[in-house]
Amino acid sequence: MFEKDADHIRNISVEFFIRELESKKKGLSAEEKRTRMMEIFFETKDVFQLKDLEKIAPKEKGITAMSVKEVLQSLVDDGMVDCERIGTSNYYWAFPSKALHARKRKLEVLESQ
């Protein structure tokens, strides 16, 4: 049992290390940043404020803190991430189920043409 856990931790560490090397080598393309930002939402299934994402994205996905706001705004503009202002704060979320329904609707539209 412990060997399985150790292997899992090693695999995560290797994956993280590879991502770190890739991001330091060439920087990430805009599309890669968008994909990784969506991974944060889909993996956690949580709601975030911008300041939270500016802390999480560089550590977990290799997206520079300076570009988080721009990437997030592009995802909101494209309807992939939802944003709601509550009081003085903006909250951001995206759930896998919404993405699945959007893909199904798009497929239905394409099939009906």
Side-chain angles (χ1 to χ4, degrees):
M1 181 174 145
F2 291 115
E3 289 176 17
K4 223 177 202 183
D5 291 340
D7 286 342
H8 180 68
I9 291 170
R10 259 188 247 110
N11 289 340
I12 291 172
S13 298
V14 168
E15 187 177 308
F16 178 76
F17 181 72
I18 290 170
R19 280 196 176 171
E20 285 296 306
L21 283 177
E22 287 174 352
S23 66
K24 285 181 170 63
K25 248 194 291 185
K26 60 176 172 76
L28 300 172
S29 69
E31 194 56 39
E32 202 170 4
K33 289 177 186 177
R34 289 168 51 97
T35 302
R36 290 183 182 195
M37 183 72 73
M38 291 304 293
E39 286 175 3
I40 293 172
F41 287 109
F42 289 169
E43 290 168 2
T44 61
K45 297 178 183 84
D46 205 353
V47 177
F48 299 96
Q49 288 185 306
L50 177 61
K51 64 182 180 181
D52 300 326
L53 290 168
E54 287 174 333
K55 291 177 186 173
I56 295 168
K59 289 179 186 173
E60 293 186 12
K61 299 296 179 181
I63 303 169
T64 60
M66 298 300 288
S67 65
V68 168
K69 186 174 183 178
E70 179 185 338
V71 173
L72 188 58
Q73 189 58 51
S74 76
L75 291 169
V76 169
D77 293 344
D78 290 345
M80 296 174 70
V81 172
D82 293 310
C83 175
E84 190 70 39
R85 184 171 192 86
I86 302 174
T88 59
S89 302
N90 287 324
Y91 293 89
Y92 300 91
W93 69 92
F95 299 119
S97 59
K98 181 183 177 192
L100 176 65
H101 290 296
R103 284 193 298 269
K104 282 183 179 178
R105 280 193 304 270
K106 188 174 184 178
L107 180 62
E108 289 170 2
V109 168
L110 291 173
E111 287 176 342
S112 68
Q113 292 178 349

PDB file of all heavy atoms in Angstrom, residues 56-93:
ATOM      1  N   ILE A  56      -2.171  30.166  -6.995  1.00  0.00           N
ATOM      2  CA  ILE A  56      -2.227  28.751  -7.375  1.00  0.00           C
ATOM      3  C   ILE A  56      -1.594  28.476  -8.737  1.00  0.00           C
ATOM      4  O   ILE A  56      -0.818  27.527  -8.887  1.00  0.00           O
ATOM      5  CB  ILE A  56      -3.691  28.264  -7.373  1.00  0.00           C
ATOM      6  CG1 ILE A  56      -4.257  28.307  -5.960  1.00  0.00           C
ATOM      7  CG2 ILE A  56      -3.812  26.873  -7.959  1.00  0.00           C
ATOM      8  CD1 ILE A  56      -5.752  28.131  -5.885  1.00  0.00           C
ATOM      9  N   ALA A  57      -1.933  29.288  -9.730  1.00  0.00           N
ATOM     10  CA  ALA A  57      -1.515  29.022 -11.114  1.00  0.00           C
ATOM     11  C   ALA A  57       0.002  28.926 -11.290  1.00  0.00           C
ATOM     12  O   ALA A  57       0.470  28.009 -11.962  1.00  0.00           O
ATOM     13  CB  ALA A  57      -2.104  30.056 -12.058  1.00  0.00           C
ATOM     14  N   PRO A  58       0.796  29.827 -10.711  1.00  0.00           N
ATOM     15  CA  PRO A  58       2.247  29.689 -10.886  1.00  0.00           C
ATOM     16  C   PRO A  58       2.811  28.433 -10.225  1.00  0.00           C
ATOM     17  O   PRO A  58       3.682  27.774 -10.791  1.00  0.00           O
ATOM     18  CB  PRO A  58       2.817  30.946 -10.213  1.00  0.00           C
ATOM     19  CG  PRO A  58       1.699  31.911 -10.170  1.00  0.00           C
ATOM     20  CD  PRO A  58       0.450  31.089 -10.045  1.00  0.00           C
ATOM     21  N   LYS A  59       2.294  28.085  -9.054  1.00  0.00           N
ATOM     22  CA  LYS A  59       2.819  26.931  -8.320  1.00  0.00           C
ATOM     23  C   LYS A  59       2.431  25.617  -8.975  1.00  0.00           C
ATOM     24  O   LYS A  59       3.257  24.727  -9.125  1.00  0.00           O
ATOM     25  CB  LYS A  59       2.298  26.944  -6.879  1.00  0.00           C
ATOM     26  CG  LYS A  59       2.888  28.024  -6.022  1.00  0.00           C
ATOM     27  CD  LYS A  59       2.304  27.974  -4.636  1.00  0.00           C
ATOM     28  CE  LYS A  59       2.771  29.139  -3.805  1.00  0.00           C
ATOM     29  NZ  LYS A  59       2.084  29.207  -2.504  1.00  0.00           N
ATOM     30  N   GLU A  60       1.168  25.485  -9.338  1.00  0.00           N
ATOM     31  CA  GLU A  60       0.667  24.194  -9.806  1.00  0.00           C
ATOM     32  C   GLU A  60       0.744  24.003 -11.312  1.00  0.00           C
ATOM     33  O   GLU A  60       0.883  22.880 -11.777  1.00  0.00           O
ATOM     34  CB  GLU A  60      -0.775  23.998  -9.344  1.00  0.00           C
ATOM     35  CG  GLU A  60      -0.883  23.845  -7.836  1.00  0.00           C
ATOM     36  CD  GLU A  60      -2.294  23.514  -7.393  1.00  0.00           C
ATOM     37  OE1 GLU A  60      -3.131  23.178  -8.241  1.00  0.00           O
ATOM     38  OE2 GLU A  60      -2.548  23.607  -6.188  1.00  0.00           O
ATOM     39  N   LYS A  61       0.637  25.095 -12.076  1.00  0.00           N
ATOM     40  CA  LYS A  61       0.530  24.945 -13.530  1.00  0.00           C
ATOM     41  C   LYS A  61       1.594  25.701 -14.313  1.00  0.00           C
ATOM     42  O   LYS A  61       1.607  25.658 -15.536  1.00  0.00           O
ATOM     43  CB  LYS A  61      -0.864  25.395 -14.004  1.00  0.00           C
ATOM     44  CG  LYS A  61      -2.000  24.597 -13.420  1.00  0.00           C
ATOM     45  CD  LYS A  61      -1.954  23.146 -13.843  1.00  0.00           C
ATOM     46  CE  LYS A  61      -3.091  22.349 -13.226  1.00  0.00           C
ATOM     47  NZ  LYS A  61      -3.071  20.963 -13.595  1.00  0.00           N
ATOM     48  N   GLY A  62       2.469  26.430 -13.631  1.00  0.00           N
ATOM     49  CA  GLY A  62       3.555  27.112 -14.320  1.00  0.00           C
ATOM     50  C   GLY A  62       3.138  28.342 -15.104  1.00  0.00           C
ATOM     51  O   GLY A  62       3.859  28.805 -15.984  1.00  0.00           O
ATOM     52  N   ILE A  63       1.974  28.902 -14.791  1.00  0.00           N
ATOM     53  CA  ILE A  63       1.514  30.130 -15.448  1.00  0.00           C
ATOM     54  C   ILE A  63       2.018  31.301 -14.615  1.00  0.00           C
ATOM     55  O   ILE A  63       1.773  31.350 -13.412  1.00  0.00           O
ATOM     56  CB  ILE A  63      -0.024  30.175 -15.516  1.00  0.00           C
ATOM     57  CG1 ILE A  63      -0.569  28.953 -16.241  1.00  0.00           C
ATOM     58  CG2 ILE A  63      -0.501  31.455 -16.179  1.00  0.00           C
ATOM     59  CD1 ILE A  63      -2.073  28.786 -16.137  1.00  0.00           C
ATOM     60  N   THR A  64       2.706  32.241 -15.242  1.00  0.00           N
ATOM     61  CA  THR A  64       3.243  33.369 -14.474  1.00  0.00           C
ATOM     62  C   THR A  64       2.103  34.178 -13.861  1.00  0.00           C
ATOM     63  O   THR A  64       1.050  34.357 -14.484  1.00  0.00           O
ATOM     64  CB  THR A  64       4.097  34.302 -15.358  1.00  0.00           C
ATOM     65  OG1 THR A  64       3.280  34.814 -16.410  1.00  0.00           O
ATOM     66  CG2 THR A  64       5.292  33.565 -15.947  1.00  0.00           C
ATOM     67  N   ALA A  65       2.322  34.659 -12.654  1.00  0.00           N
ATOM     68  CA  ALA A  65       1.297  35.409 -11.929  1.00  0.00           C
ATOM     69  C   ALA A  65       0.862  36.651 -12.697  1.00  0.00           C
ATOM     70  O   ALA A  65      -0.300  37.051 -12.645  1.00  0.00           O
ATOM     71  CB  ALA A  65       1.823  35.793 -10.547  1.00  0.00           C
ATOM     72  N   MET A  66       1.800  37.229 -13.455  1.00  0.00           N
ATOM     73  CA  MET A  66       1.496  38.445 -14.210  1.00  0.00           C
ATOM     74  C   MET A  66       0.499  38.194 -15.347  1.00  0.00           C
ATOM     75  O   MET A  66      -0.209  39.112 -15.757  1.00  0.00           O
ATOM     76  CB  MET A  66       2.776  39.049 -14.790  1.00  0.00           C
ATOM     77  CG  MET A  66       3.785  39.486 -13.744  1.00  0.00           C
ATOM     78  SD  MET A  66       3.148  40.737 -12.623  1.00  0.00           S
ATOM     79  CE  MET A  66       3.100  42.130 -13.730  1.00  0.00           C
ATOM     80  N   SER A  67       0.430  36.974 -15.850  1.00  0.00           N
ATOM     81  CA  SER A  67      -0.462  36.707 -16.982  1.00  0.00           C
ATOM     82  C   SER A  67      -1.778  36.042 -16.575  1.00  0.00           C
ATOM     83  O   SER A  67      -2.652  35.841 -17.420  1.00  0.00           O
ATOM     84  CB  SER A  67       0.252  35.841 -18.019  1.00  0.00           C
ATOM     85  OG  SER A  67       0.540  34.580 -17.489  1.00  0.00           O
ATOM     86  N   VAL A  68      -1.943  35.740 -15.307  1.00  0.00           N
ATOM     87  CA  VAL A  68      -3.151  35.051 -14.847  1.00  0.00           C
ATOM     88  C   VAL A  68      -4.397  35.867 -15.159  1.00  0.00           C
ATOM     89  O   VAL A  68      -5.386  35.344 -15.686  1.00  0.00           O
ATOM     90  CB  VAL A  68      -3.074  34.728 -13.333  1.00  0.00           C
ATOM     91  CG1 VAL A  68      -4.420  34.278 -12.791  1.00  0.00           C
ATOM     92  CG2 VAL A  68      -2.024  33.672 -13.080  1.00  0.00           C
ATOM     93  N   LYS A  69      -4.375  37.167 -14.880  1.00  0.00           N
ATOM     94  CA  LYS A  69      -5.552  38.012 -15.091  1.00  0.00           C
ATOM     95  C   LYS A  69      -5.945  38.043 -16.564  1.00  0.00           C
ATOM     96  O   LYS A  69      -7.129  37.934 -16.906  1.00  0.00           O
ATOM     97  CB  LYS A  69      -5.271  39.427 -14.589  1.00  0.00           C
ATOM     98  CG  LYS A  69      -6.475  40.332 -14.628  1.00  0.00           C
ATOM     99  CD  LYS A  69      -6.191  41.667 -14.000  1.00  0.00           C
ATOM    100  CE  LYS A  69      -7.430  42.536 -13.971  1.00  0.00           C
ATOM    101  NZ  LYS A  69      -7.167  43.820 -13.310  1.00  0.00           N
ATOM    102  N   GLU A  70      -4.969  38.178 -17.440  1.00  0.00           N
ATOM    103  CA  GLU A  70      -5.225  38.225 -18.875  1.00  0.00           C
ATOM    104  C   GLU A  70      -5.809  36.900 -19.385  1.00  0.00           C
ATOM    105  O   GLU A  70      -6.775  36.884 -20.151  1.00  0.00           O
ATOM    106  CB  GLU A  70      -3.925  38.541 -19.614  1.00  0.00           C
ATOM    107  CG  GLU A  70      -4.048  38.605 -21.111  1.00  0.00           C
ATOM    108  CD  GLU A  70      -2.707  38.813 -21.782  1.00  0.00           C
ATOM    109  OE1 GLU A  70      -1.765  39.314 -21.125  1.00  0.00           O
ATOM    110  OE2 GLU A  70      -2.601  38.473 -22.965  1.00  0.00           O
ATOM    111  N   VAL A  71      -5.216  35.798 -18.959  1.00  0.00           N
ATOM    112  CA  VAL A  71      -5.688  34.472 -19.367  1.00  0.00           C
ATOM    113  C   VAL A  71      -7.108  34.252 -18.857  1.00  0.00           C
ATOM    114  O   VAL A  71      -7.989  33.798 -19.596  1.00  0.00           O
ATOM    115  CB  VAL A  71      -4.746  33.363 -18.845  1.00  0.00           C
ATOM    116  CG1 VAL A  71      -5.320  31.983 -19.103  1.00  0.00           C
ATOM    117  CG2 VAL A  71      -3.366  33.500 -19.465  1.00  0.00           C
ATOM    118  N   LEU A  72      -7.338  34.586 -17.608  1.00  0.00           N
ATOM    119  CA  LEU A  72      -8.654  34.419 -17.006  1.00  0.00           C
ATOM    120  C   LEU A  72      -9.699  35.245 -17.744  1.00  0.00           C
ATOM    121  O   LEU A  72     -10.787  34.757 -18.052  1.00  0.00           O
ATOM    122  CB  LEU A  72      -8.590  34.816 -15.527  1.00  0.00           C
ATOM    123  CG  LEU A  72      -9.812  34.540 -14.681  1.00  0.00           C
ATOM    124  CD1 LEU A  72     -10.169  33.058 -14.700  1.00  0.00           C
ATOM    125  CD2 LEU A  72      -9.571  35.000 -13.257  1.00  0.00           C
ATOM    126  N   GLN A  73      -9.366  36.480 -18.088  1.00  0.00           N
ATOM    127  CA  GLN A  73     -10.304  37.347 -18.793  1.00  0.00           C
ATOM    128  C   GLN A  73     -10.634  36.789 -20.174  1.00  0.00           C
ATOM    129  O   GLN A  73     -11.784  36.841 -20.611  1.00  0.00           O
ATOM    130  CB  GLN A  73      -9.756  38.773 -18.908  1.00  0.00           C
ATOM    131  CG  GLN A  73     -10.786  39.753 -19.439  1.00  0.00           C
ATOM    132  CD  GLN A  73     -12.040  39.816 -18.577  1.00  0.00           C
ATOM    133  OE1 GLN A  73     -11.964  39.983 -17.362  1.00  0.00           O
ATOM    134  NE2 GLN A  73     -13.205  39.660 -19.182  1.00  0.00           N
ATOM    135  N   SER A  74      -9.642  36.212 -20.838  1.00  0.00           N
ATOM    136  CA  SER A  74      -9.912  35.636 -22.162  1.00  0.00           C
ATOM    137  C   SER A  74     -10.855  34.438 -22.048  1.00  0.00           C
ATOM    138  O   SER A  74     -11.721  34.243 -22.904  1.00  0.00           O
ATOM    139  CB  SER A  74      -8.610  35.245 -22.868  1.00  0.00           C
ATOM    140  OG  SER A  74      -8.074  34.061 -22.351  1.00  0.00           O
ATOM    141  N   LEU A  75     -10.707  33.658 -20.982  1.00  0.00           N
ATOM    142  CA  LEU A  75     -11.600  32.518 -20.763  1.00  0.00           C
ATOM    143  C   LEU A  75     -13.020  32.983 -20.431  1.00  0.00           C
ATOM    144  O   LEU A  75     -13.997  32.386 -20.882  1.00  0.00           O
ATOM    145  CB  LEU A  75     -11.054  31.612 -19.660  1.00  0.00           C
ATOM    146  CG  LEU A  75      -9.776  30.849 -20.000  1.00  0.00           C
ATOM    147  CD1 LEU A  75      -9.190  30.205 -18.751  1.00  0.00           C
ATOM    148  CD2 LEU A  75     -10.029  29.808 -21.077  1.00  0.00           C
ATOM    149  N   VAL A  76     -13.129  34.058 -19.665  1.00  0.00           N
ATOM    150  CA  VAL A  76     -14.442  34.627 -19.338  1.00  0.00           C
ATOM    151  C   VAL A  76     -15.088  35.168 -20.615  1.00  0.00           C
ATOM    152  O   VAL A  76     -16.274  34.920 -20.880  1.00  0.00           O
ATOM    153  CB  VAL A  76     -14.317  35.731 -18.262  1.00  0.00           C
ATOM    154  CG1 VAL A  76     -15.625  36.496 -18.116  1.00  0.00           C
ATOM    155  CG2 VAL A  76     -13.893  35.137 -16.927  1.00  0.00           C
ATOM    156  N   ASP A  77     -14.316  35.881 -21.420  1.00  0.00           N
ATOM    157  CA  ASP A  77     -14.838  36.454 -22.668  1.00  0.00           C
ATOM    158  C   ASP A  77     -15.347  35.378 -23.615  1.00  0.00           C
ATOM    159  O   ASP A  77     -16.305  35.599 -24.357  1.00  0.00           O
ATOM    160  CB  ASP A  77     -13.769  37.295 -23.374  1.00  0.00           C
ATOM    161  CG  ASP A  77     -13.405  38.554 -22.602  1.00  0.00           C
ATOM    162  OD1 ASP A  77     -14.162  38.942 -21.686  1.00  0.00           O
ATOM    163  OD2 ASP A  77     -12.345  39.139 -22.908  1.00  0.00           O
ATOM    164  N   ASP A  78     -14.706  34.212 -23.613  1.00  0.00           N
ATOM    165  CA  ASP A  78     -15.100  33.106 -24.483  1.00  0.00           C
ATOM    166  C   ASP A  78     -16.191  32.225 -23.868  1.00  0.00           C
ATOM    167  O   ASP A  78     -16.600  31.226 -24.468  1.00  0.00           O
ATOM    168  CB  ASP A  78     -13.886  32.231 -24.821  1.00  0.00           C
ATOM    169  CG  ASP A  78     -12.904  32.940 -25.733  1.00  0.00           C
ATOM    170  OD1 ASP A  78     -13.280  33.975 -26.339  1.00  0.00           O
ATOM    171  OD2 ASP A  78     -11.758  32.464 -25.845  1.00  0.00           O
ATOM    172  N   GLY A  79     -16.641  32.568 -22.663  1.00  0.00           N
ATOM    173  CA  GLY A  79     -17.717  31.827 -22.015  1.00  0.00           C
ATOM    174  C   GLY A  79     -17.292  30.496 -21.423  1.00  0.00           C
ATOM    175  O   GLY A  79     -18.138  29.664 -21.087  1.00  0.00           O
ATOM    176  N   MET A  80     -15.991  30.278 -21.288  1.00  0.00           N
ATOM    177  CA  MET A  80     -15.505  29.014 -20.735  1.00  0.00           C
ATOM    178  C   MET A  80     -15.436  29.054 -19.210  1.00  0.00           C
ATOM    179  O   MET A  80     -15.474  28.019 -18.553  1.00  0.00           O
ATOM    180  CB  MET A  80     -14.139  28.688 -21.322  1.00  0.00           C
ATOM    181  CG  MET A  80     -14.192  28.442 -22.822  1.00  0.00           C
ATOM    182  SD  MET A  80     -12.568  28.222 -23.534  1.00  0.00           S
ATOM    183  CE  MET A  80     -12.120  26.631 -22.867  1.00  0.00           C
ATOM    184  N   VAL A  81     -15.291  30.248 -18.662  1.00  0.00           N
ATOM    185  CA  VAL A  81     -15.252  30.448 -17.209  1.00  0.00           C
ATOM    186  C   VAL A  81     -16.339  31.456 -16.874  1.00  0.00           C
ATOM    187  O   VAL A  81     -16.517  32.454 -17.577  1.00  0.00           O
ATOM    188  CB  VAL A  81     -13.868  30.976 -16.751  1.00  0.00           C
ATOM    189  CG1 VAL A  81     -13.894  31.378 -15.288  1.00  0.00           C
ATOM    190  CG2 VAL A  81     -12.794  29.935 -16.999  1.00  0.00           C
ATOM    191  N   ASP A  82     -17.080  31.182 -15.806  1.00  0.00           N
ATOM    192  CA  ASP A  82     -18.125  32.099 -15.351  1.00  0.00           C
ATOM    193  C   ASP A  82     -17.551  33.053 -14.322  1.00  0.00           C
ATOM    194  O   ASP A  82     -16.652  32.681 -13.549  1.00  0.00           O
ATOM    195  CB  ASP A  82     -19.284  31.314 -14.732  1.00  0.00           C
ATOM    196  CG  ASP A  82     -20.010  30.486 -15.766  1.00  0.00           C
ATOM    197  OD1 ASP A  82     -20.378  31.042 -16.817  1.00  0.00           O
ATOM    198  OD2 ASP A  82     -20.206  29.285 -15.520  1.00  0.00           O
ATOM    199  N   CYS A  83     -18.071  34.273 -14.322  1.00  0.00           N
ATOM    200  CA  CYS A  83     -17.620  35.291 -13.374  1.00  0.00           C
ATOM    201  C   CYS A  83     -18.850  35.978 -12.806  1.00  0.00           C
ATOM    202  O   CYS A  83     -19.791  36.307 -13.534  1.00  0.00           O
ATOM    203  CB  CYS A  83     -16.730  36.307 -14.088  1.00  0.00           C
ATOM    204  SG  CYS A  83     -16.226  37.679 -13.031  1.00  0.00           S
ATOM    205  N   GLU A  84     -18.837  36.198 -11.514  1.00  0.00           N
ATOM    206  CA  GLU A  84     -19.943  36.891 -10.868  1.00  0.00           C
ATOM    207  C   GLU A  84     -19.387  37.839  -9.820  1.00  0.00           C
ATOM    208  O   GLU A  84     -18.504  37.467  -9.044  1.00  0.00           O
ATOM    209  CB  GLU A  84     -20.877  35.867 -10.212  1.00  0.00           C
ATOM    210  CG  GLU A  84     -22.174  36.449  -9.712  1.00  0.00           C
ATOM    211  CD  GLU A  84     -23.105  36.877 -10.841  1.00  0.00           C
ATOM    212  OE1 GLU A  84     -23.184  36.163 -11.854  1.00  0.00           O
ATOM    213  OE2 GLU A  84     -23.747  37.931 -10.689  1.00  0.00           O
ATOM    214  N   ARG A  85     -19.904  39.054  -9.831  1.00  0.00           N
ATOM    215  CA  ARG A  85     -19.489  40.040  -8.831  1.00  0.00           C
ATOM    216  C   ARG A  85     -20.454  39.924  -7.648  1.00  0.00           C
ATOM    217  O   ARG A  85     -21.664  40.056  -7.815  1.00  0.00           O
ATOM    218  CB  ARG A  85     -19.515  41.439  -9.422  1.00  0.00           C
ATOM    219  CG  ARG A  85     -19.006  42.482  -8.476  1.00  0.00           C
ATOM    220  CD  ARG A  85     -18.857  43.823  -9.192  1.00  0.00           C
ATOM    221  NE  ARG A  85     -18.117  44.744  -8.379  1.00  0.00           N
ATOM    222  CZ  ARG A  85     -16.802  44.841  -8.349  1.00  0.00           C
ATOM    223  NH1 ARG A  85     -16.082  44.053  -9.119  1.00  0.00           N
ATOM    224  NH2 ARG A  85     -16.201  45.709  -7.582  1.00  0.00           N
ATOM    225  N   ILE A  86     -19.892  39.683  -6.484  1.00  0.00           N
ATOM    226  CA  ILE A  86     -20.686  39.604  -5.260  1.00  0.00           C
ATOM    227  C   ILE A  86     -20.091  40.614  -4.294  1.00  0.00           C
ATOM    228  O   ILE A  86     -18.955  40.448  -3.841  1.00  0.00           O
ATOM    229  CB  ILE A  86     -20.679  38.183  -4.657  1.00  0.00           C
ATOM    230  CG1 ILE A  86     -21.222  37.177  -5.675  1.00  0.00           C
ATOM    231  CG2 ILE A  86     -21.499  38.149  -3.368  1.00  0.00           C
ATOM    232  CD1 ILE A  86     -21.117  35.733  -5.245  1.00  0.00           C
ATOM    233  N   GLY A  87     -20.856  41.653  -4.019  1.00  0.00           N
ATOM    234  CA  GLY A  87     -20.334  42.748  -3.200  1.00  0.00           C
ATOM    235  C   GLY A  87     -19.217  43.438  -3.958  1.00  0.00           C
ATOM    236  O   GLY A  87     -19.415  43.905  -5.075  1.00  0.00           O
ATOM    237  N   THR A  88     -18.047  43.460  -3.380  1.00  0.00           N
ATOM    238  CA  THR A  88     -16.902  44.110  -4.039  1.00  0.00           C
ATOM    239  C   THR A  88     -15.939  43.109  -4.655  1.00  0.00           C
ATOM    240  O   THR A  88     -14.898  43.486  -5.181  1.00  0.00           O
ATOM    241  CB  THR A  88     -16.127  44.983  -3.027  1.00  0.00           C
ATOM    242  OG1 THR A  88     -15.683  44.149  -1.952  1.00  0.00           O
ATOM    243  CG2 THR A  88     -17.004  46.100  -2.476  1.00  0.00           C
ATOM    244  N   SER A  89     -16.284  41.827  -4.598  1.00  0.00           N
ATOM    245  CA  SER A  89     -15.372  40.775  -5.068  1.00  0.00           C
ATOM    246  C   SER A  89     -15.905  40.092  -6.326  1.00  0.00           C
ATOM    247  O   SER A  89     -17.114  39.932  -6.487  1.00  0.00           O
ATOM    248  CB  SER A  89     -15.187  39.711  -3.986  1.00  0.00           C
ATOM    249  OG  SER A  89     -14.698  40.290  -2.801  1.00  0.00           O
ATOM    250  N   ASN A  90     -14.991  39.681  -7.200  1.00  0.00           N
ATOM    251  CA  ASN A  90     -15.334  38.871  -8.363  1.00  0.00           C
ATOM    252  C   ASN A  90     -14.975  37.424  -8.069  1.00  0.00           C
ATOM    253  O   ASN A  90     -13.876  37.138  -7.591  1.00  0.00           O
ATOM    254  CB  ASN A  90     -14.561  39.322  -9.600  1.00  0.00           C
ATOM    255  CG  ASN A  90     -15.085  40.631 -10.147  1.00  0.00           C
ATOM    256  OD1 ASN A  90     -16.279  40.893 -10.109  1.00  0.00           O
ATOM    257  ND2 ASN A  90     -14.197  41.451 -10.668  1.00  0.00           N
ATOM    258  N   TYR A  91     -15.898  36.520  -8.386  1.00  0.00           N
ATOM    259  CA  TYR A  91     -15.676  35.099  -8.196  1.00  0.00           C
ATOM    260  C   TYR A  91     -15.702  34.404  -9.552  1.00  0.00           C
ATOM    261  O   TYR A  91     -16.534  34.728 -10.405  1.00  0.00           O
ATOM    262  CB  TYR A  91     -16.745  34.507  -7.266  1.00  0.00           C
ATOM    263  CG  TYR A  91     -16.619  35.044  -5.858  1.00  0.00           C
ATOM    264  CD1 TYR A  91     -17.286  36.200  -5.472  1.00  0.00           C
ATOM    265  CD2 TYR A  91     -15.818  34.405  -4.930  1.00  0.00           C
ATOM    266  CE1 TYR A  91     -17.149  36.709  -4.187  1.00  0.00           C
ATOM    267  CE2 TYR A  91     -15.678  34.905  -3.646  1.00  0.00           C
ATOM    268  CZ  TYR A  91     -16.341  36.056  -3.279  1.00  0.00           C
ATOM    269  OH  TYR A  91     -16.201  36.558  -2.002  1.00  0.00           O
ATOM    270  N   TYR A  92     -14.797  33.456  -9.733  1.00  0.00           N
ATOM    271  CA  TYR A  92     -14.638  32.756 -11.008  1.00  0.00           C
ATOM    272  C   TYR A  92     -14.798  31.263 -10.785  1.00  0.00           C
ATOM    273  O   TYR A  92     -14.310  30.719  -9.801  1.00  0.00           O
ATOM    274  CB  TYR A  92     -13.241  33.019 -11.589  1.00  0.00           C
ATOM    275  CG  TYR A  92     -12.966  34.482 -11.842  1.00  0.00           C
ATOM    276  CD1 TYR A  92     -12.376  35.282 -10.864  1.00  0.00           C
ATOM    277  CD2 TYR A  92     -13.289  35.060 -13.054  1.00  0.00           C
ATOM    278  CE1 TYR A  92     -12.127  36.624 -11.095  1.00  0.00           C
ATOM    279  CE2 TYR A  92     -13.045  36.400 -13.300  1.00  0.00           C
ATOM    280  CZ  TYR A  92     -12.461  37.182 -12.316  1.00  0.00           C
ATOM    281  OH  TYR A  92     -12.216  38.507 -12.550  1.00  0.00           O
ATOM    282  N   TRP A  93     -15.484  30.600 -11.738  1.00  0.00           N
ATOM    283  CA  TRP A  93     -15.632  29.161 -11.663  1.00  0.00           C
ATOM    284  C   TRP A  93     -15.902  28.587 -13.052  1.00  0.00           C
ATOM    285  O   TRP A  93     -16.352  29.293 -13.959  1.00  0.00           O
ATOM    286  CB  TRP A  93     -16.746  28.763 -10.703  1.00  0.00           C
ATOM    287  CG  TRP A  93     -18.117  29.129 -11.192  1.00  0.00           C
ATOM    288  CD1 TRP A  93     -18.953  28.337 -11.917  1.00  0.00           C
ATOM    289  CD2 TRP A  93     -18.798  30.373 -11.016  1.00  0.00           C
ATOM    290  NE1 TRP A  93     -20.118  29.008 -12.195  1.00  0.00           N
ATOM    291  CE2 TRP A  93     -20.042  30.263 -11.655  1.00  0.00           C
ATOM    292  CE3 TRP A  93     -18.469  31.569 -10.380  1.00  0.00           C
ATOM    293  CZ2 TRP A  93     -20.967  31.306 -11.678  1.00  0.00           C
ATOM    294  CZ3 TRP A  93     -19.382  32.606 -10.409  1.00  0.00           C
ATOM    295  CH2 TRP A  93     -20.609  32.473 -11.045  1.00  0.00           C
TER     296      TRP A  93
END
